[in-house]
Amino acid sequence: MERKPSAVLIVALILWTFGVAGTVILPLFDQEINSATASGELRNYPEDSAEARGREIYIQNGCQTCHTQFVRALPADTNQNLGPVTKGGDYKYDLPHLLGSNRTGPDLMWVGLKYNEDWQRQHLIDPQSTSPGTIMPSFDYLSNQELDDLVAYLMSLKPTEERLEEYKKELEEAKLTERN
């Protein structure tokens, strides 16, 4: 093999092909990933809805740079009580996907459960008033319509009632397990 770099190249190309097939092509045949969950269906916003416009404002202002929308099944996430662990089908209608890779700010996947519309609006206009010490910038330059749309989008980020009930049961079971 040392004298034949072409053999190494061929082996590397074969391994790369298997890697691409396993991570890109095979998941296309997984119906669980390719079917929207009930929570994913809630994110199928009509094209000109306040939520869809708010999502565009979220993207335009780079919110996904600091905020993720992805609750992982890791203690780092589950210990923070961020909400149910996300599933592939939760993102069926999200294009572009806003998973994020950096959590400078909190995860927003289920933020619609945590705060009301007034809190969201105030937080966008003056983040320090709701979260002292935050490094989040103010979005007071947005028009009232843009703020309304962005708040509508943030409030839409929540799981279905059934999924929320399942999550609450899981939390109770975990607490019982900890006590024993």
Side-chain angles (χ1 to χ4, degrees), residues 58 63-72 77 80-82 98-100 102-111 114-115 119-120 123 127 130-131 134-136 154 157:
Y58 182 93
C63 300
Q64 71 278 6
T65 304
C66 295
H67 296 281
T68 58
Q69 290 187 24
F70 182 56
V71 180
R72 304 163 298 181
D77 286 4
Q80 292 182 48
N81 196 19
L82 296 176
L98 302 176
L99 302 178
N102 186 13
R103 278 196 188 155
T104 303
D107 184 88
L108 300 180
M109 183 65 183
W110 310 122
V111 74
K114 294 183 182 226
Y115 307 104
W119 188 95
Q120 295 285 9
H123 186 66
T130 56
S131 303
T134 184
I135 61 170
M136 180 172 153
L154 293 172
L157 299 177

Side-chain angles (χ1 to χ4, degrees), residues 39-40 42-45 55 59 69 88-99 109 153 157:
S39 295
L42 293 176
R43 291 171 166 233
N44 188 11
Y45 310 121
R55 188 172 192 279
I59 293 167
Q69 290 187 24
D90 292 336
Y91 305 103
K92 173 75 174 173
Y93 300 107
D94 284 1
L95 289 173
H97 297 295
L98 302 176
L99 302 178
M109 183 65 183
Y153 172 64
L157 299 177

